[in-house]
Amino acid sequence: MSTELLIQYGVIPIIQILVVMIVVLTVVAYGVYAERKILAFIHSRLGPMRVGPWGLFQPIADGLKLLMKEDLRPSVADSLIFVMAPAILMLAAFSALTMVPFGEGTTMFGYEVPYVIADVNIGILAMLALSSLSVYAVVLGGWSSNSKYPLIGALRGAAQMVSYEVALAFTVVATLMIAGTMSTVGIVEAQRELGAWFFILQPVGFVIFVICMVAETNRLPFDLPEAETELVSGYFTEFSGMRWAFYMLGEYAAMIVMSCLAVTLYLGGWLRPFPNSELTAFLDVIPGPLWFVLKGFMFMYFFMWIRGTYPRYRYDQLMTIGWKVLIPISIANLFFTGIIILLVQAAAG
Amino acid sequence: MAAYLPIVFFALAAVGMVSGAMIAGRFLRPTPVQSRGKLEVYECGIEPRRDARQPFSVRFYIVAMLFLVFDVETIFLFPWAVQFQQLALFGLIEMFIFVAILLFGYFYAWQRGALEWV
């Protein structure tokens, strides 16, 4: 009995944590590399080429460099909060990743291994709640620096993140009405039962979700909080070395979380296109988790692509889009979805 | 509740990773003598004249208040959405009234210029 408990609460969590950390850190390191390469190609440049073949060891060199950088803490900064802020960002991103369903699960060494770490029945709500904790990292990081640029960046960041969170929540609710469950695994299963990924049933919702996703992660064209041309680098201006690295890591981890959320909610998680159709059955040669990862990378590429393509919004434009466009459309979408569901129910009898 | 334990483990691991890296970095990074100018906050090379704790635009407070109202609203929407197919027409009308009250306030705020930023 005690060995069972030890395995369940000791060995398995440690393995899971190690796997997720290694995967996330690798994806982040090579995500930064990929972003630099993609932006370079968009600009007709080569990007990092010096460290290793095609600059492939650049992320390792960058990591080592950041680890060996001097740790500066402004004398006027609120030191406790200044130290805590990057940790909050990591906490938000990592704990949200536990609810991501990568696949149906397998059996290994006689133990059932689900490809989701925490299959809780409020999965989507918990993911949204935990990932939005990152707004604390933005506000506390900017405020504790006791410097003017970070303060402006933090205020902008907080206002932007909470504004777009409202529209995001309303669109997610419309999807949950179709799925009838908040469990992340359940939502993917609902898409299998209906035979269609939810972005087909929720086209408007999908578009709003993608816009909000970019705004929530503070990426271009919504990167007002760190607008480097006006605010130096926004809320983490005073952070250097490893603390700065954790802010960058947190931003990438937030991108990963948002991509996973989008794949789960709208792109059918680990399912192939048209999961009930015989025509696409040959696509099952690609295993479920790989489907999930490929779709996730598609979103990651999308983040980098629009960064290279669009200019930054003005702050008043940003708030206008959030409050006057996205929120009314998402509420209308919610009730439109409700009416369609009722009509379908009535037609089915 | 056991299903929620991994979330706690991951939160602890994330904090552990940050503190671990900071402690490991302490042995690797240089610790030169800190001068007063170096520890000053960044203000494009000029000596900062005043503290950053100054009044800022009241619009940020308005956004925060509007957000609170909407966010509490969405919390009510989540369980409703999950049960929607059972609640059917009754649920839709009920929620429409609930949201309509909120929308009344929203359009009032809009009309009063709370959403203008210029």
Side-chain angles (χ1 to χ4, degrees):
Chain A
M1 186 64 201
S2 62
T3 39
E4 288 274 303
L5 277 177
L6 189 71
I7 287 171
Q8 203 184 348
Y9 295 110
V11 179
I12 289 179
I14 288 169
I15 294 173
Q16 286 171 330
I17 287 167
L18 283 179
V19 168
V20 169
M21 280 210 171
I22 290 166
V23 169
V24 168
L25 289 179
T26 316
V27 170
V28 168
Y30 280 91
V32 174
Y33 172 77
E35 176 155 23
R36 290 177 67 179
K37 276 286 186 199
I38 288 165
L39 284 179
F41 291 154
I42 290 174
H43 301 156
S44 289
R45 293 185 285 118
L46 284 174
M49 290 291 281
R50 298 280 175 185
V51 192
W54 296 91
L56 268 173
F57 301 140
Q58 185 73 42
I60 301 164
D62 281 346
L64 276 176
K65 184 197 80 172
L66 285 168
L67 197 64
M68 293 166 81
K69 281 277 173 189
E70 199 182 329
D71 181 39
L72 280 178
R73 201 185 303 163
S75 52
V76 285
D78 200 316
S79 48
L80 178 67
I81 300 175
F82 193 82
V83 171
M84 266 167 55
I88 297 174
L89 199 62
M90 299 309 295
L91 186 152
F94 269 103
S95 48
L97 275 174
T98 50
M99 267 88 66
V100 175
F102 289 99
E104 281 170 296
T106 54
T107 5
M108 254 183 245
F109 311 114
Y111 286 98
E112 256 185 49
V113 182
Y115 281 143
V116 52
I117 293 161
D119 182 18
V120 297
N121 56 4
I122 55 156
I124 288 294
L125 186 62
M127 259 179 101
L128 284 178
L130 287 170
S131 65
S132 60
L133 279 182
S134 59
V135 73
Y136 284 105
V138 172
V139 174
L140 294 179
W143 183 81
S144 66
S145 305
N146 202 349
S147 172
K148 282 149 203 156
Y149 292 117
L151 180 72
I152 299 172
L155 289 172
R156 282 187 187 182
Q160 168 183 339
M161 284 163 98
V162 300
S163 301
Y164 280 78
E165 205 171 296
V166 174
L168 187 87
F170 277 121
T171 42
V172 169
V173 165
T175 315
L176 297 182
M177 282 160 75
I178 307 176
T181 172
M182 272 193 262
S183 147
T184 46
V185 178
I187 287 167
V188 178
E189 290 296 337
Q191 295 179 67
R192 188 207 298 279
E193 272 167 39
L194 288 167
W197 295 356
F198 279 156
F199 88 97
I200 301 168
L201 305 176
Q202 281 284 321
V204 180
F206 179 63
V207 173
I208 297 177
F209 187 91
V210 170
I211 296 171
C212 293
M213 176 171 99
V214 179
E216 280 287 297
T217 46
N218 295 330
R219 298 272 304 176
L220 265 164
F222 301 108
D223 75 336
L224 272 301
E226 45 180 288
E228 63 269 21
T229 41
E230 35 181 325
L231 291 185
V232 190
S233 71
Y235 54 86
F236 53 82
T237 304
E238 299 296 344
F239 289 81
S240 58
M242 259 340 250
R243 294 186 209 283
W244 179 85
F246 281 121
Y247 265 106
M248 286 318 271
L249 218 107
E251 184 183 314
Y252 263 80
M255 276 162 68
I256 296 172
V257 170
M258 282 319 233
S259 304
C260 291
L261 201 58
V263 171
T264 311
L265 282 169
Y266 293 100
L267 290 193
W270 65 83
L271 304 174
R272 64 169 196 264
F274 302 105
N276 288 343
S277 163
E278 284 301 309
L279 282 174
T280 56
F282 71 93
L283 286 172
D284 272 347
V285 286
I286 304 174
L290 195 58
W291 268 118
F292 193 97
V293 170
L294 286 175
K295 291 171 193 170
F297 281 153
M298 203 190 76
F299 275 106
M300 295 292 279
Y301 175 71
F302 176 76
F303 274 115
M304 294 162 193
W305 180 22
I306 59 167
R307 178 173 172 194
T309 314
Y310 287 103
R312 185 180 297 135
Y313 278 105
R314 274 202 329 260
Y315 200 71
D316 61 312
Q317 291 173 327
L318 172 96
M319 295 312 261
T320 306
I321 298 169
W323 283 98
K324 292 187 183 173
V325 181
L326 294 182
I327 290 178
I329 295 178
S330 59
I331 293 178
N333 179 51
L334 182 77
F335 284 104
F336 184 72
T337 309
I339 292 166
I340 297 286
I341 291 175
L342 289 187
L343 288 178
V344 170
Q345 275 187 348
Chain B
M1 290 309 278
Y4 293 87
L5 267 180
I7 304 174
V8 180
F9 287 145
F10 267 70
L12 292 178
V15 175
M17 189 176 80
V18 174
S19 16
M22 290 312 295
I23 292 166
R26 181 162 291 177
F27 300 109
L28 291 171
R29 64 181 172 236
T31 43
V33 183
Q34 306 285 21
S35 63
R36 196 178 64 87
K38 201 175 185 178
L39 293 178
E40 245 163 28
V41 293
Y42 181 77
E43 213 150 290
C44 304
I46 302 167
E47 273 186 36
R49 294 192 47 146
R50 274 188 299 172
D51 200 65
R53 310 263 191 265
Q54 287 170 33
F56 49 84
S57 174
V58 74
R59 305 225 169 266
F60 291 110
Y61 290 103
I62 298 175
V63 167
M65 279 192 292
L66 283 173
F67 163 72
L68 263 187
V69 178
F70 274 98
D71 212 38
V72 172
E73 167 102 8
T74 51
I75 291 299
F76 283 113
L77 281 171
F78 273 98
W80 168 79
V82 172
Q83 286 301 311
F84 177 74
Q85 293 179 24
Q86 285 78 50
L87 295 169
L89 189 61
F90 172 74
L92 188 69
I93 294 169
E94 283 275 275
M95 195 42 84
F96 186 76
I97 295 167
F98 186 53
V99 174
I101 296 168
L102 178 93
L103 281 182
F104 180 75
Y106 168 72
F107 284 116
Y108 177 75
W110 186 334
Q111 189 260 326
R112 297 290 292 182
L115 307 180
E116 308 295 331
W117 275 81
V118 181

